[in-house]
Amino acid sequence: MNSKRPVNLDLTKFHFPLPAITSILHRISGVIIFVAIAFLLWGLDMSLESEQSFNSLLAVLDGFLAKLILWGILAALAYHFVAGIKHLVMDAGIGEDLEGARLFAKIVIAASVVLIVLAGVWVW
């Protein structure tokens, strides 16, 4: 048995290519959206319960922390949407080579940054 094999892999020493990073972020944004659904459903329930609960929800959503959380949810949704379109295009056979994957990864990041900034402007 080779005793020089690593016991634990140090993931900080690996340098992932840009398409791999965008794919990992796509999965993370999906998890964030899944968790955020609970908060969004809570807000929907409060808004439909009564006029008083709707007004209290508006008061909660006027705070900085609530706006930051809402912006984070919108950012995850925007990134997940753009990366999902990239995956659909690649499933159609477009950009499956290495250069195409790099180009699509750059497009995903650029489009996501624009949408995330626009979401931040809209929230605030």
Side-chain angles (χ1 to χ4, degrees), residues 5-38:
R5 292 177 51 189
V7 177
N8 293 318
L9 293 176
D10 187 10
L11 293 178
T12 60
K13 292 184 180 180
F14 287 103
H15 297 287
F16 294 107
L18 190 58
I21 293 171
T22 58
S23 181
I24 292 168
L25 288 175
H26 183 247
R27 294 163 195 245
I28 292 172
S29 66
V31 171
I32 291 170
I33 292 168
F34 180 75
V35 172
I37 287 173

Coordinates of all heavy atoms in Angstrom, one line a residue, residues 5-38:
R5 N 0.0 8.5 0.1 CA -1.3 9.0 -0.4 C -1.9 10.0 0.7 O -1.7 9.8 1.9 CB -2.3 7.8 -0.5 CG -1.9 6.9 -1.7 CD -2.8 5.8 -1.8 NE -4.2 6.2 -1.8 CZ -5.3 5.4 -1.7 NH1 -5.1 4.1 -1.6 NH2 -6.5 5.9 -1.8
P6 N -2.6 11.0 0.2 CA -3.2 12.0 1.1 C -4.3 11.4 1.9 O -5.1 10.6 1.4 CB -3.6 13.1 0.3 CG -3.8 12.5 -1.1 CD -2.8 11.4 -1.2
V7 N -4.4 11.7 3.2 CA -5.4 11.2 4.0 C -6.7 12.0 3.8 O -7.8 11.5 3.6 CB -5.0 11.3 5.5 CG1 -6.2 10.8 6.4 CG2 -3.8 10.4 5.8
N8 N -6.6 13.3 3.8 CA -7.7 14.3 3.5 C -7.3 15.2 2.4 O -6.2 15.7 2.4 CB -8.0 15.1 4.8 CG -8.6 14.2 5.9 OD1 -9.4 13.3 5.6 ND2 -8.2 14.5 7.1
L9 N -8.2 15.4 1.5 CA -7.9 16.4 0.4 C -8.2 17.8 0.9 O -9.2 18.1 1.5 CB -8.8 16.1 -0.8 CG -8.5 14.8 -1.5 CD1 -9.5 14.6 -2.6 CD2 -7.1 14.8 -2.1
D10 N -7.3 18.7 0.6 CA -7.4 20.1 1.0 C -8.0 20.8 -0.2 O -7.3 21.1 -1.2 CB -6.1 20.7 1.4 CG -6.2 22.1 1.9 OD1 -7.4 22.5 2.2 OD2 -5.2 22.7 2.1
L11 N -9.3 21.1 -0.2 CA -10.0 21.7 -1.3 C -9.5 23.1 -1.6 O -9.8 23.7 -2.6 CB -11.5 21.6 -1.1 CG -12.1 20.2 -1.1 CD1 -13.6 20.3 -0.9 CD2 -11.8 19.5 -2.4
T12 N -8.9 23.8 -0.6 CA -8.4 25.1 -0.8 C -7.2 25.2 -1.7 O -6.9 26.2 -2.3 CB -8.1 25.8 0.5 OG1 -7.0 25.1 1.2 CG2 -9.3 25.9 1.4
K13 N -6.6 24.0 -1.9 CA -5.4 24.0 -2.8 C -5.8 23.7 -4.3 O -4.9 23.9 -5.2 CB -4.4 22.9 -2.3 CG -3.7 23.3 -1.0 CD -2.7 22.3 -0.6 CE -2.1 22.8 0.7 NZ -1.0 21.8 1.1
F14 N -7.0 23.3 -4.5 CA -7.5 23.1 -5.9 C -7.9 24.4 -6.5 O -8.5 25.2 -5.9 CB -8.6 22.1 -5.9 CG -8.3 20.7 -5.6 CD1 -8.5 20.1 -4.3 CD2 -7.7 19.9 -6.5 CE1 -8.2 18.8 -4.0 CE2 -7.3 18.6 -6.3 CZ -7.6 18.1 -5.0
H15 N -7.6 24.5 -7.8 CA -8.0 25.7 -8.6 C -9.0 25.2 -9.6 O -8.7 24.6 -10.6 CB -6.8 26.3 -9.2 CG -5.9 26.9 -8.2 ND1 -6.1 28.0 -7.5 CD2 -4.6 26.5 -7.8 CE1 -5.1 28.3 -6.7 NE2 -4.2 27.3 -6.9
F16 N -10.3 25.4 -9.3 CA -11.4 25.0 -10.2 C -11.5 25.9 -11.4 O -11.3 27.1 -11.3 CB -12.7 25.0 -9.5 CG -12.8 23.9 -8.4 CD1 -12.7 24.3 -7.0 CD2 -12.9 22.6 -8.7 CE1 -12.8 23.4 -6.0 CE2 -12.9 21.7 -7.6 CZ -12.9 22.1 -6.3
P17 N -11.8 25.4 -12.6 CA -12.0 26.3 -13.7 C -13.3 27.0 -13.6 O -14.2 26.6 -12.8 CB -12.0 25.3 -14.9 CG -12.4 24.0 -14.3 CD -11.8 24.0 -12.9
L18 N -13.4 28.1 -14.3 CA -14.6 29.0 -14.2 C -15.9 28.2 -14.5 O -16.9 28.5 -13.7 CB -14.4 30.2 -15.1 CG -15.5 31.3 -15.0 CD1 -15.4 31.8 -13.6 CD2 -15.2 32.4 -16.0
P19 N -16.0 27.4 -15.5 CA -17.3 26.6 -15.7 C -17.6 25.8 -14.4 O -18.8 25.6 -14.1 CB -17.0 25.8 -16.9 CG -16.0 26.5 -17.7 CD -15.1 27.1 -16.6
A20 N -16.7 25.2 -13.8 CA -17.0 24.4 -12.6 C -17.5 25.3 -11.4 O -18.4 24.9 -10.7 CB -15.7 23.7 -12.1
I21 N -16.9 26.5 -11.3 CA -17.3 27.4 -10.3 C -18.8 27.9 -10.5 O -19.6 27.9 -9.6 CB -16.4 28.6 -10.2 CG1 -15.0 28.1 -9.7 CG2 -16.9 29.7 -9.3 CD1 -13.9 29.2 -9.8
T22 N -19.1 28.2 -11.8 CA -20.4 28.6 -12.1 C -21.4 27.5 -11.8 O -22.6 27.7 -11.4 CB -20.6 29.1 -13.5 OG1 -20.1 28.1 -14.4 CG2 -19.7 30.4 -13.7
S23 N -21.0 26.2 -12.1 CA -21.9 25.1 -11.9 C -22.1 24.9 -10.4 O -23.3 24.6 -9.9 CB -21.3 23.8 -12.5 OG -22.2 22.7 -12.3
I24 N -21.1 25.0 -9.6 CA -21.2 24.9 -8.1 C -22.1 26.0 -7.6 O -23.0 25.7 -6.7 CB -19.8 24.9 -7.5 CG1 -19.1 23.6 -7.9 CG2 -20.0 25.0 -6.0 CD1 -17.6 23.6 -7.5
L25 N -21.9 27.2 -8.1 CA -22.8 28.3 -7.6 C -24.2 28.1 -8.0 O -25.1 28.6 -7.3 CB -22.2 29.6 -8.1 CG -20.9 30.1 -7.5 CD1 -20.4 31.4 -8.2 CD2 -21.1 30.4 -6.0
H26 N -24.4 27.5 -9.2 CA -25.8 27.2 -9.6 C -26.5 26.3 -8.6 O -27.7 26.5 -8.2 CB -25.8 26.6 -11.0 CG -27.1 26.3 -11.6 ND1 -27.6 25.0 -11.8 CD2 -28.1 27.2 -11.9 CE1 -28.8 25.1 -12.3 NE2 -29.1 26.4 -12.4
R27 N -25.8 25.3 -8.1 CA -26.3 24.4 -7.1 C -26.6 25.1 -5.8 O -27.6 24.9 -5.2 CB -25.4 23.2 -6.9 CG -25.3 22.3 -8.2 CD -24.1 21.4 -8.0 NE -23.8 20.8 -9.3 CZ -23.9 19.5 -9.6 NH1 -24.3 18.7 -8.7 NH2 -23.6 19.1 -10.8
I28 N -25.6 25.9 -5.4 CA -25.8 26.7 -4.1 C -27.0 27.6 -4.2 O -27.8 27.7 -3.3 CB -24.5 27.4 -3.8 CG1 -23.4 26.4 -3.4 CG2 -24.7 28.4 -2.6 CD1 -22.0 27.0 -3.3
S29 N -27.1 28.3 -5.3 CA -28.3 29.2 -5.5 C -29.6 28.5 -5.4 O -30.6 29.0 -4.9 CB -28.1 30.1 -6.7 OG -28.2 29.2 -7.9
G30 N -29.6 27.3 -6.0 CA -30.8 26.4 -5.9 C -31.2 26.1 -4.5 O -32.4 26.1 -4.1
V31 N -30.2 25.8 -3.6 CA -30.5 25.5 -2.2 C -30.9 26.8 -1.5 O -31.9 26.7 -0.7 CB -29.2 24.9 -1.6 CG1 -29.3 24.8 -0.1 CG2 -28.8 23.6 -2.2
I32 N -30.4 27.9 -1.8 CA -30.8 29.2 -1.2 C -32.2 29.4 -1.6 O -33.0 29.8 -0.7 CB -29.9 30.3 -1.6 CG1 -28.5 30.1 -1.0 CG2 -30.5 31.7 -1.2 CD1 -27.4 31.1 -1.5
I33 N -32.6 29.2 -2.8 CA -34.0 29.5 -3.2 C -34.9 28.5 -2.5 O -36.0 28.9 -2.1 CB -34.1 29.3 -4.8 CG1 -33.4 30.5 -5.5 CG2 -35.6 29.3 -5.2 CD1 -33.2 30.2 -6.9
F34 N -34.5 27.2 -2.4 CA -35.3 26.3 -1.7 C -35.6 26.7 -0.2 O -36.7 26.6 0.3 CB -34.7 24.9 -1.7 CG -35.4 23.8 -1.0 CD1 -36.6 23.3 -1.6 CD2 -35.1 23.4 0.2 CE1 -37.3 22.3 -1.0 CE2 -35.8 22.4 0.9 CZ -36.9 21.8 0.3
V35 N -34.6 27.2 0.5 CA -34.8 27.6 1.8 C -35.6 28.9 1.9 O -36.4 29.1 2.8 CB -33.4 27.8 2.5 CG1 -33.5 28.5 3.9 CG2 -32.6 26.5 2.6
A36 N -35.4 29.8 0.9 CA -36.1 31.1 0.9 C -37.6 30.9 0.6 O -38.4 31.8 1.0 CB -35.5 31.9 -0.2
I37 N -38.0 29.8 0.1 CA -39.4 29.6 -0.2 C -40.2 29.6 1.1 O -41.3 30.1 1.1 CB -39.7 28.2 -0.9 CG1 -39.2 28.4 -2.4 CG2 -41.1 27.8 -0.9 CD1 -39.2 27.1 -3.2
A38 N -39.7 29.1 2.2 CA -40.3 29.1 3.5 C -40.6 30.6 3.9 O -41.7 30.9 4.4 CB -39.5 28.4 4.5

